[in-house]
Amino acid sequence: MKISQEEKDRNKQQMIDAATTLIAEQGFAKVSLRDISKKAGMSQASAYKYFQSKENIVFAFFEQIQEQCHEQLLQINDFHDFCLEEQLQCLIETQMTLLEPYRVFLNEIHHSTMTLQIFQTMTGMQPAREKMCAMIDDLYGGAIDAGEIPQQRHHALIVRLFWDYLFLIILYWLRDNSAHYTNTTQLIEKSLLVITAILRSQLLDKSTDLINFVIREHVFSLFDSLTPAQTPIKNKRRFMEKSNVKKR
Amino acid sequence: MSKKDDATSLPNHPLSRGKIIAKTITRLGTQYAGHRVKRVLGQSNIQQDRKKMATTTFEGLSQLKGIALKFAQLLSMEKELLPVEFQEELAQAHYQAPTLNRAIVRKAIQNEFGATPEQIFMQFDTQAFAAASLGQVHQATLHSGEKVAVKIQYPGIERSVQTDLRIIETMILPWMKNTIVSHLFHEMKNMMQEELDYQHELAQTQSFAKLIPFQVVKIPKVYPDYCGHTIITTSLLQGHHLDAFLARSPSQATINRIAQRLYNTVMYCCFHLRKFHADPNPGNYMFWDNGDIGILDFGCIKRFDTQQADTLIQMWNAVHTGDFAQIKQAYADFGYANSHLQSKEDFHRYFDAHYEQLIAPFDQWMSEPLQDETFDLKKHPHFCNRGSQLFRNAMANPKFKIFNASLMYFDRTWIGLFRIFEKMGAEIKVRNPAYFQNQQILKEIEDEM
């Protein structure tokens, strides 16, 4: 029986909802794909068509958060008038707001054998990461076009670093007990000020230039001093001739 | 100013707040030292140096927001006492505190209502148009089409106010036990706590709107569905603030009419309603060309209990007639006797010894406008400076031991009110406060408004 894309999406959503609820209740290790499919009201076989493992559901969850974040940022009328710090802070805060209902779930994942950091770096996370990077790339490119920050040589690297930055913030946020997570908001604000200041001053480009210079000029010349001087060596025996001598 | 500069939130941590204070003091110190050296060398440009110091002070204060911003506002209220360069810088505290980052404004709304500004308002301007006490004000449009002003409290300000209070309490107060400063501090602490809760302001605004009967006095309408503890939404009054209003060069008749209305309204509140708007910052009043006035920001409200308003009137009359026994009785009734001087005898002895020198000059100043039918501020140059100076002299004197919070706030309101009249150059019919308690004459005032 062929099912429509709409139905597929609905089934996927049911699996994600079931997984986040069950994992929040019982912990990541104790929940199996079978439990999840049961909770979602599907047979294990059809559940398997969507997700081959529970890790995959977590990947899909993060991908969905990125899509929702994208949607929400589009709703802000004057978002293009915000400066880069404000835009980035809005993006991160929106992610936090979207993640808030899943705080217990995220805590459970983080405390399982697979910590959030491991999840973050897994290849399955690629689609979610690409989606976030696309947003960052757009904001970042927009700021460069508007002359807000200068062109950077390590454009792609900087964009990707934001993915790690997001997880850093999530980890801090999971431990933040202040009202309305004010401490996280402040961490985001202060750290983004530092990040944008680095981008403005092209510190990253300049420091790689500096490292380049140090390596070329100093480390390589240090190698020169390690090169042994050409001193006369006593005559050696010929190659492969020692054993031959014995044989004779 | 670059956008980056606006994007500063509150330094919350006690250490970071301490650091800003220390940095400001250090910078001021070096500037002052430089100024002294230059003076010795004969190259001093006093005005330029002062300007620099004023900028440094204001920068430091506004970075802290919280109590410091409040303090800056208080200073600018008493600004004629300061050098002119300081006046200019500090006057900015009324309207131009550094604004919040727009992402944080959104977050503050989401924290309070659990929804984004787009979901709550038809239109919301993320750029603030005015600074308010402990917050900033944004323009927005409700889905019903009504234009509103949304006042958002600086997120985290409650904590930084508590930190400031704790720093003062543990580091400064121990040296000031049983002085006016410690009383002032406790008063300020209570006031700050009330001002931090916008629900309190909501209730007060509604109550004043109901109680003030004058048609020409506009009080913003509150929208309780759009209010919380840190956000208050009111209708947008589109009048002019004092400076902008005076810049439109209104006629003397309009000025006098407006000043009279303001005087009547404030006196009506004090002596008829027995509660008054105790933040006479000019930014809290609005004026229209047709003579209407508007009152904003009901965060700082002070009450007289049933006795106090009457006692104050008696005191004024006694000052007018020079009846010392009556003045003393009034002060005793005010509850002054209880604050420091334990026994009745102590109070009498203290009062007999110090009244003439300490308090009488200020009392006389207070009742000066009431001596004639009308009072023309143009004919009394530096009237308010004289009052502030006398007020400060009394408060700063170590022998000054009596304190009453309601009376202090009333004095402040009186000075603030006359400061506005002075700036306008108004002539007002100064009715004795007792009139505002008399129902019949009150009818006359209502007709006059």
Side-chain angles (χ1 to χ4, degrees):
Chain A
M1 186 184 66
K2 226 173 166 195
I3 56 169
S4 67
Q5 185 61 36
E6 216 171 276
E7 210 164 329
K8 271 185 200 166
D9 290 345
R10 201 169 45 242
N11 287 344
K12 258 186 165 176
Q13 187 58 51
Q14 275 171 353
M15 287 288 286
I16 295 176
D17 291 345
T20 48
T21 317
L22 278 181
I23 292 173
E25 283 165 7
Q26 301 170 21
F28 186 74
K30 286 196 188 128
V31 175
S32 67
L33 202 58
R34 183 192 304 196
D35 299 333
I36 297 169
S37 55
K38 205 169 137 197
K39 172 113 186 163
M42 271 185 264
S43 71
Q44 208 183 340
S46 50
Y48 198 76
K49 273 189 234 152
Y50 300 109
F51 299 108
Q52 281 77 47
S53 69
K54 51 185 179 180
E55 285 80 0
N56 284 349
I57 305 182
V58 177
F59 300 145
F61 166 78
F62 274 104
E63 192 181 343
Q64 204 175 51
I65 293 288
Q66 301 312 315
E67 285 161 4
Q68 288 168 353
C69 177
H70 186 159
E71 281 298 310
Q72 291 208 359
L73 292 182
L74 285 177
Q75 302 293 316
I76 307 175
N77 298 329
D78 53 349
F79 193 54
H80 57 279
D81 285 336
F82 287 22
C83 65
L84 185 61
E85 289 99 302
E86 289 173 333
Q87 287 180 326
L88 291 172
Q89 182 161 6
C90 241
L91 186 143
I92 306 279
E93 288 284 4
T94 306
Q95 303 250 353
M96 294 296 132
T97 316
L98 289 169
L99 289 174
E100 219 233 307
Y102 304 101
R103 219 169 121 92
V104 185
F105 160 72
L106 290 169
N107 245 322
E108 282 304 328
I109 294 187
H110 186 55
H111 289 120
S112 68
T113 42
M114 304 257 285
T115 57
L116 261 185
Q117 289 103 311
I118 296 178
F119 264 105
Q120 171 211 343
T121 51
M122 283 166 85
T123 40
M125 208 56 124
Q126 188 106 358
R129 186 169 60 208
E130 292 307 327
K131 286 199 164 116
M132 166 152 176
C133 289
M135 288 189 276
I136 299 283
D137 189 48
D138 184 65
L139 294 178
Y140 182 56
I144 293 175
D145 289 347
E148 207 183 326
I149 52 170
Q151 190 78 39
Q152 315 275 327
R153 233 181 297 142
H154 305 279
H155 189 110
L157 173 73
I158 292 167
V159 169
R160 294 185 92 79
L161 279 175
F162 269 95
W163 180 250
D164 300 302
Y165 172 71
L166 172 69
F167 274 80
L168 204 86
I169 298 288
I170 293 177
L171 289 178
Y172 179 84
W173 170 75
L174 285 177
R175 280 166 187 69
D176 182 4
N177 293 319
S178 59
H180 298 303
Y181 311 110
T182 320
N183 291 346
T184 308
T185 301
Q186 288 204 332
L187 175 72
I188 299 171
E189 194 198 0
K190 299 281 183 269
S191 53
L192 281 175
L193 278 178
V194 174
I195 292 171
T196 46
I198 291 174
L199 295 180
R200 273 202 186 85
S201 62
Q202 287 181 295
L203 191 69
L204 217 62
D205 285 357
K206 283 176 192 157
S207 54
T208 46
D209 284 350
L210 187 72
I211 293 168
N212 251 329
F213 168 76
V214 170
I215 292 180
R216 265 201 327 265
E217 295 297 315
H218 297 282
V219 182
F220 285 175
S221 66
L222 194 78
F223 289 159
D224 288 345
S225 70
L226 294 176
T227 319
Q230 294 290 320
T231 44
I233 303 170
K234 273 187 254 167
N235 283 343
K236 289 183 181 169
R237 59 180 159 70
R238 279 181 170 274
F239 179 58
M240 296 297 280
E241 278 191 355
K242 195 176 173 189
S243 50
N244 289 347
V245 173
K246 266 188 185 170
K247 266 185 189 167
R248 264 182 224 159
Chain B
M1 192 159 67
S2 83
K3 282 179 174 175
K4 189 179 152 247
D5 291 332
D6 312 348
T8 45
S9 77
L10 293 186
N12 255 331
H13 195 273
L15 274 179
S16 68
R17 292 183 74 78
K19 246 188 316 207
I20 292 174
I21 297 172
K23 210 166 84 186
T24 309
I25 292 175
T26 321
R27 282 174 61 193
L28 273 177
T30 24
Q31 280 168 15
Y32 185 67
H35 169 70
R36 291 298 290 264
V37 170
K38 277 193 229 156
R39 219 159 73 171
V40 172
L41 297 175
Q43 330 168 316
S44 166
N45 179 344
I46 296 180
Q47 257 161 22
Q48 219 172 35
D49 290 345
R50 270 196 189 151
K51 175 98 195 144
K52 230 159 77 188
M53 283 196 247
T55 315
T56 311
T57 313
F58 182 71
E59 271 174 11
L61 286 177
S62 53
Q63 267 186 60
L64 288 170
K65 298 194 179 131
I67 286 191
L69 185 66
K70 201 81 206 145
F71 180 67
Q73 284 185 347
L74 278 178
L75 269 182
S76 74
M77 216 179 77
E78 308 279 319
K79 66 180 181 182
E80 278 86 350
L81 297 175
L82 297 163
V84 71
E85 296 77 11
F86 276 76
Q87 287 177 26
E88 285 166 13
E89 283 292 330
L90 286 171
Q92 296 190 17
H94 288 314
Y95 312 112
Q96 296 169 9
T99 51
L100 284 173
N101 164 338
R102 278 169 284 200
I104 295 181
V105 170
R106 295 182 61 82
K107 176 90 196 300
I109 290 181
Q110 276 176 310
N111 286 348
E112 192 65 59
F113 303 122
T116 61
E118 294 80 30
Q119 290 164 328
I120 296 168
F121 301 102
M122 192 160 84
Q123 176 271 334
F124 179 84
D125 193 353
T126 39
Q127 203 75 27
F129 75 91
S133 53
L134 314 175
Q136 60 184 34
V137 194
H138 293 259
Q139 227 179 70
T141 314
L142 299 182
H143 287 293
S144 58
E146 288 160 283
K147 283 211 178 308
V148 290
V150 184
K151 181 159 93 170
I152 297 176
Q153 196 173 92
Y154 298 128
I157 193 144
E158 193 162 357
R159 237 178 60 195
S160 44
V161 165
Q162 309 295 5
T163 310
D164 283 359
L165 291 174
R166 224 174 32 242
I167 290 177
I168 299 174
E169 212 160 14
T170 52
M171 295 175 72
I172 301 174
L173 282 196
W175 279 278
M176 305 229 166
K177 261 186 198 140
N178 289 332
T179 60
I180 291 297
V181 176
S182 68
H183 281 287
L184 270 176
F185 173 76
H186 291 295
E187 193 46 45
M188 185 168 151
K189 191 170 161 182
N190 293 339
M191 236 26 197
M192 289 299 281
Q193 241 115 35
E194 271 185 18
E195 274 193 64
L196 278 170
D197 185 2
Y198 283 1
Q199 284 290 320
H200 172 259
E201 186 176 336
L202 183 156
Q204 291 300 342
T205 313
Q206 284 178 322
S207 139
F208 273 95
K210 213 166 76 190
L211 292 171
I212 293 180
F214 313 126
Q215 287 294 316
V216 291
V217 180
K218 294 180 180 173
I219 288 165
K221 176 184 165 198
V222 205
Y223 297 86
D225 291 347
Y226 297 86
C227 297
H229 284 284
T230 56
I231 292 180
I232 181 165
T233 303
T234 62
S235 57
L236 187 69
L237 294 188
Q238 286 170 317
H240 306 282
H241 283 294
L242 184 59
D243 287 338
F245 177 72
L246 293 177
R248 299 166 71 83
S249 20
S251 68
Q252 187 64 41
T254 310
I255 286 178
N256 290 351
R257 195 164 69 234
I258 273 188
Q260 190 64 50
R261 284 172 173 175
L262 192 57
Y263 177 80
N264 289 351
T265 310
V266 174
M267 290 295 115
Y268 180 82
C269 292
C270 292
F271 295 98
H272 191 82
L273 305 178
R274 294 172 197 280
K275 63 176 184 178
F276 56 97
H277 190 295
D279 190 2
N281 172 342
N284 288 339
Y285 297 105
M286 270 192 173
F287 307 99
W288 280 263
D289 292 337
N290 68 356
D292 286 358
I293 57 175
I295 308 177
L296 314 164
D297 196 340
F298 289 85
C300 182
I301 300 300
K302 206 70 210 167
R303 283 166 195 284
F304 277 143
D305 62 33
T306 36
Q307 274 290 309
Q308 283 172 329
D310 298 342
T311 313
L312 183 61
I313 293 173
Q314 283 161 16
M315 192 165 89
W316 252 340
N317 292 337
V319 171
H320 192 45
T321 53
D323 184 347
F324 181 73
Q326 182 69 44
I327 297 173
K328 184 155 74 173
Q329 188 53 48
Y331 271 97
D333 289 347
F334 240 109
Y336 268 133
N338 309 330
S339 63
H340 267 294
L341 305 155
Q342 295 300 324
S343 70
K344 221 172 170 173
E345 289 71 38
D346 278 350
F347 174 74
H348 281 283
R349 211 173 308 118
Y350 174 82
F351 204 81
D352 292 346
H354 297 296
Y355 177 75
E356 271 311 314
Q357 188 213 339
L358 276 180
I359 310 163
F362 183 70
D363 276 355
Q364 274 152 15
W365 177 85
M366 285 280 284
S367 65
E368 210 175 301
L370 299 170
Q371 318 234 328
D372 290 314
E373 183 89 345
T374 60
F375 189 73
D376 188 348
L377 269 297
K378 285 196 297 299
K379 292 184 185 143
H380 294 80
H382 310 301
F383 177 71
C384 294
N385 278 0
R386 204 148 50 80
S388 310
Q389 194 63 49
L390 292 170
F391 185 61
R392 272 171 37 137
N393 285 356
M395 299 290 260
N397 195 313
K399 290 197 192 107
F400 188 78
K401 283 186 183 160
I402 51 181
F403 179 79
N404 179 289
S406 301
L407 198 55
M408 190 201 74
Y409 275 106
F410 179 78
D411 292 348
R412 238 186 71 181
T413 304
W414 186 258
I415 298 176
L417 196 59
F418 276 84
R419 210 176 271 291
I420 294 173
F421 297 154
E422 191 174 73
K423 197 151 192 189
M424 288 176 164
E427 182 179 5
I428 41 167
K429 203 158 140 194
V430 194
R431 285 204 174 81
N432 189 303
Y435 283 83
F436 292 87
Q437 295 183 318
N438 181 324
Q439 285 298 339
Q440 247 173 6
I441 296 174
L442 205 60
K443 189 80 191 55
E444 200 180 289
I445 295 170
E446 273 176 47
D447 292 342
E448 183 187 284
M449 294 285 279

